[in-house]
Amino acid sequence: MAVDYAVIVLYLAGMLAMGWWGMRRATSKSDFLVAGRRLGPAMYSGTMAAIVLGGASTIGGVGLGYRYGLSGAWMVFTIGLGLLALSVFFSARIARLKVYTVSEMLDLRYGGSAGLISGVVMWAYTLMLAVTSTLAYATIFDVLFGLDRALAIILGGAIVVAYSTLGGMWSITLTDMVQFVVKTIGVLLLLLPIAVIKAGGFAEMKAQLPDDYFAPLGIGGQTVFTYVLIYSFGMLIGQDIWQRVFTARGDRVARLGGTAAGTYCLVYALAGAVIGTAAKVLYPHLGSPDDAFATIVKDALPVGVRGLVLAAALSAVMSTSSGALIACATVANNDIWARIRGVVRRQSPATDVPQGPDAGHGGAGEPRDEVRGNRVFILLMGLAVIVIALALNNVVEALTVAYNLLVGGLLVPILGGLLWKRGTGAGALASVAVGGLTVVGLMLSLGVLANEPIYYGLLASLVAYVAVSLATRPTDAAVLDAWRARLAGRPAAAGTEPSVASGPSATTSPAGR
């Protein structure tokens, strides 16, 4: 294993080096949080694919293939479908908003009445998402080095926190591009064909396994429907995903680059299911389906290649972990802490520049202060993630809680704001509160893994949004005019909003922040 160890150690050292290099580029808040909004199609699509395909998509996707066969691809497949829908229908408008967080979008749309509560829900989602990714380090480092679970979590988490804190989104973008390449080579080009060959080819796999392993809905129609609700819709509204959309250089990059990333996810989904199916032929009596990935890598691959494929698994975990971490820190700092302190408030365009989302182009010393504050929050949130990960054991339950809260609480007010002009701030607040409380209550009574919490949570959220919106006064015309102008990428008319969106470095302080 010496060669494999060397490959992994070099890879981890490279991640830290990328973090150090990214620190030199992160000179403003815009650079640190959204890579200056300057990513072209190649980097955008690579980093978007990297963040959505994490440890659950790689290790978990292979495990689902081991348990259900080709229909085990549905979980990752619905992630790809959600990313395609986001890219085709919403990404261009989202990118033109020139904000940093989903809550800022809600402030712009509803006039500043929904930001704080939505920020708390989004923070809880991104925190749990980062925790689940960090928990996956235990599995990978146990296979690599036989490390104790706690030490593995601390080691993996510390590396991600280090390079994320150093350079923010620039460091994460650079490391994600490396991780995307490593995942593509390790999983698609090496592990997939080797696994199929070792299993005797598709004909032999079909001969040895039940027909259900090759049925499109072998995993169950209700399970597929639940995956669509949780993962496809989750892709549409997650802060970790939107923050990557904000890095796009323009509308075309966001649309085409995201479409390419979504298509890549579909291919990755099928590859994971095929690898898991091959593992079922080779190792029919594993103790847990999630052991399939590590087992086939450890036993079926030659020296050196094994290290690269394990590095690919590590890449998957790190890309999702770092993306969730910076999203969590951005929401905690900009949507919660800043509001509590009263730093972000209504201002006129003439005095708004130093405190807008692309602040750092005003007074001397401001960029450094902005970067320092966000860097501190990444460090604090990273330490919190590691501590919580040490206390938890069940990855699936933690991930389910995260997505149930996100979709049940925020899907309706976000999509409603984008699609229905009659939606109001009061309706959005009611939707978040009712949907979130319904999800939490049903998870407590029926169990975290039950399907009913997300079904009834979404329904309650929709009913509350429509009913309260129709029962309250429509959103102020000036707010809607400013919103439409922002969506179109135009500066708003003077006096209609507290900031001006004039380009990649435009300042935006949404009403009521």
Side-chain angles (χ1 to χ4, degrees), residues 201-414:
F202 286 104
E204 182 66 18
M205 290 162 61
K206 195 163 186 179
Q208 293 199 31
L209 296 172
D211 291 341
D212 287 350
Y213 268 70
F214 302 91
L217 294 177
I219 197 171
Q222 186 180 22
T223 299
V224 174
F225 180 66
T226 303
Y227 284 161
V228 170
L229 287 183
I230 294 177
Y231 297 115
S232 295
F233 287 145
M235 289 296 105
L236 296 179
I237 59 174
Q239 169 67 25
D240 52 324
I241 309 302
W242 277 41
Q243 198 156 344
R244 294 309 173 96
V245 175
F246 300 151
T247 66
R249 191 168 57 203
D251 297 0
R252 185 178 176 83
V253 170
R255 184 182 297 110
L256 297 183
T259 301
T263 304
Y264 179 90
C265 291
L266 303 183
V267 175
Y268 199 88
L270 185 59
V274 170
I275 293 167
T277 304
K280 182 66 175 180
V281 173
L282 294 170
Y283 318 102
H285 304 297
L286 291 178
S288 168
D290 286 341
D291 294 336
F293 180 87
T295 302
I296 197 169
V297 168
K298 192 173 182 179
D299 294 347
L301 300 184
V303 173
V305 174
R306 181 170 52 215
L308 182 61
V309 174
L310 288 171
L314 198 58
S315 296
V317 175
M318 283 188 161
S319 57
T320 300
S321 181
S322 59
L325 177 59
I326 193 171
C328 179
T330 302
V331 171
N333 188 16
N334 292 272
D335 292 335
I336 299 176
W337 179 242
R339 294 168 192 266
I340 291 173
R341 293 182 59 201
V343 171
V344 182
R345 58 190 180 275
R346 292 183 183 273
Q347 293 179 319
S348 67
T351 60
D352 186 46
V353 173
Q355 295 184 4
D358 285 304
H361 303 279
E366 182 67 18
R368 196 166 298 173
D369 292 339
E370 290 279 5
V371 171
R372 185 184 300 118
N374 284 286
R375 186 173 280 139
V376 167
F377 265 86
I378 289 182
L379 179 60
L380 292 175
M381 292 300 103
L383 293 175
V385 164
I386 292 173
V387 170
I388 295 171
L390 290 171
L392 292 180
N393 288 312
N394 195 311
V395 178
V396 175
E397 288 192 358
L399 190 64
T400 302
V401 169
Y403 273 97
N404 280 354
L405 283 173
L406 174 70
V407 176
L410 292 180
L411 177 69
V412 170
I414 291 173

